[in-house]
Amino acid sequence: MFFNLSALLLSPNAEAIGYNNVYTISDLSELSSRVVMAEVVDTESYMSDGKIYTKLSLEIEETFIGVEEEQLEIHLLGGSYNGLEMSVSGLPRVHVGEKKLFFLNHEKLTGFGQGLFAVNQMQAVRGVESGLAAVQFDVRETLPSERESRHCLNTIIESRAADGWTLRSLYAHNKNSEDFSLYPLSLYEGLEYQILACTDGKSEAIQLSIIDQFGNETLSQSGTTNDLELQFTAEESGFFQITSNVESLKPKAIAAGISIAVLYR
């Protein structure tokens, strides 16, 4: 038996219904808690609340946004179960052995079928079967990589350990040139501090600053390299904030991965 759920996409309760919300790659990135490139290693369909779902077991090759894990399970609407088959317009079927790029909001695709791309030699491709215009982009040139920024920063942190520096906190995020982030920081009088920032190489210029409790900038540095450093001795104890800004991006990048660490001794 076969039935098609095209009508489901007209329901006011379905996600990205009828693709009234058409997302750019930048939109998908900002709306996703995790973006991964992974191989589908197993599929299992099941029925819940009268609908058929397929659980995908993924072996992750690379994480661009979010927590790094080796394996992940996600659930897609549609599939075959006990002789019944359910297809959903705008959501391509996924098969074992395929490599895909997944934009995920927790265990669900971001933007329904908009968040699923085939991958061929690092080119992400979404065909017209999604119900949208075909899209293709270079994964490495376009997407931010929080993993690369963390790797850059960890290399620096390890090199400072021999000089007595201790890691206090580490933040990883991705941002474009319009984003502005604040990270809390408590300083203690007499301690030496290093504030480090590293990017994934997709930024052309970055800025790192410290803001005091009155909103005044007390220390700042800008540069066109992949890493920046602020080093100082705290003259008094108090609550401060770190700001990091991507001042400009490379032409094809939608955002840059950036990691910040606080060291003290």
Side-chain angles (χ1 to χ4, degrees), residues 88-138:
V88 182
S89 297
L91 184 60
R93 297 289 291 272
V94 179
H95 305 283
V96 172
E98 293 180 334
K99 182 189 291 187
K100 300 285 187 180
L101 180 68
F102 297 87
F103 289 82
L104 301 171
N105 185 2
H106 302 291
E107 293 185 348
K108 296 182 179 180
L109 284 175
T110 304
F112 205 63
Q114 298 182 74
L116 180 62
F117 293 78
V119 179
N120 182 17
Q121 296 183 346
M122 301 310 295
Q123 293 293 311
V125 180
R126 187 179 66 209
V128 294
E129 68 273 10
S130 64
L132 300 166
V135 174
Q136 179 173 334
F137 63 92
D138 186 290

Side-chain angles (χ1 to χ4, degrees), residues 119-257:
V119 179
N120 182 17
Q121 296 183 346
M122 301 310 295
Q123 293 293 311
V125 180
R126 187 179 66 209
V128 294
E129 68 273 10
S130 64
L132 300 166
V135 174
Q136 179 173 334
F137 63 92
D138 186 290
V139 175
R140 296 222 182 274
E141 291 183 348
T142 304
L143 295 180
S145 176
E146 295 175 7
R147 173 181 174 273
E148 290 296 327
S149 69
R150 282 193 295 263
H151 176 73
C152 167
L153 198 56
N154 286 335
T155 300
I156 299 175
I157 292 171
E158 290 173 3
S159 70
R160 306 293 167 89
D163 294 326
W165 291 99
T166 300
L167 175 64
R168 176 173 165 181
S169 54
L170 176 65
Y171 308 92
H173 192 50
N174 69 89
K175 57 179 62 182
N176 58 39
S177 55
E178 298 177 354
D179 291 336
F180 182 80
S181 299
L182 293 172
Y183 306 92
L185 175 64
S186 295
L187 299 178
Y188 298 95
E189 182 180 353
L191 288 181
E192 292 182 84
Y193 290 91
Q194 289 184 350
I195 314 298
L196 310 174
C198 260
T199 76
D200 59 1
K202 294 184 177 68
S203 61
E204 291 186 330
I206 58 175
Q207 182 182 36
L208 184 64
S209 304
I210 297 178
I211 308 297
D212 67 17
Q213 58 265 46
F214 305 108
N216 301 314
E217 185 179 275
T218 62
L219 196 60
S220 183
Q221 184 180 0
S222 298
T224 57
T225 61
N226 291 341
D227 59 274
L228 289 177
E229 174 184 330
L230 298 175
Q231 183 166 334
F232 60 94
T233 299
E235 297 181 356
E236 59 181 356
S237 299
F239 178 77
F240 295 77
Q241 295 185 95
I242 306 168
T243 69
S244 64
N245 298 294
V246 174
E247 296 182 329
S248 60
L249 292 166
K250 292 186 175 179
K252 294 183 179 180
I254 61 171

Side-chain angles (χ1 to χ4, degrees), residues 20-59:
N20 292 327
N21 299 318
V22 177
Y23 298 134
T24 65
I25 304 304
S26 181
D27 293 333
L28 289 171
S29 176
E30 291 182 8
L31 292 169
S32 297
S33 59
R34 181 176 293 181
V35 179
V36 300
M37 184 167 61
E39 180 182 345
V40 181
V41 295
D42 191 27
T43 63
E44 180 182 352
S45 294
Y46 62 93
M47 184 168 284
S48 177
D49 296 328
K51 302 183 185 72
I52 297 175
Y53 295 84
T54 299
K55 180 179 73 175
L56 303 183
S57 297
L58 308 179
E59 187 172 294

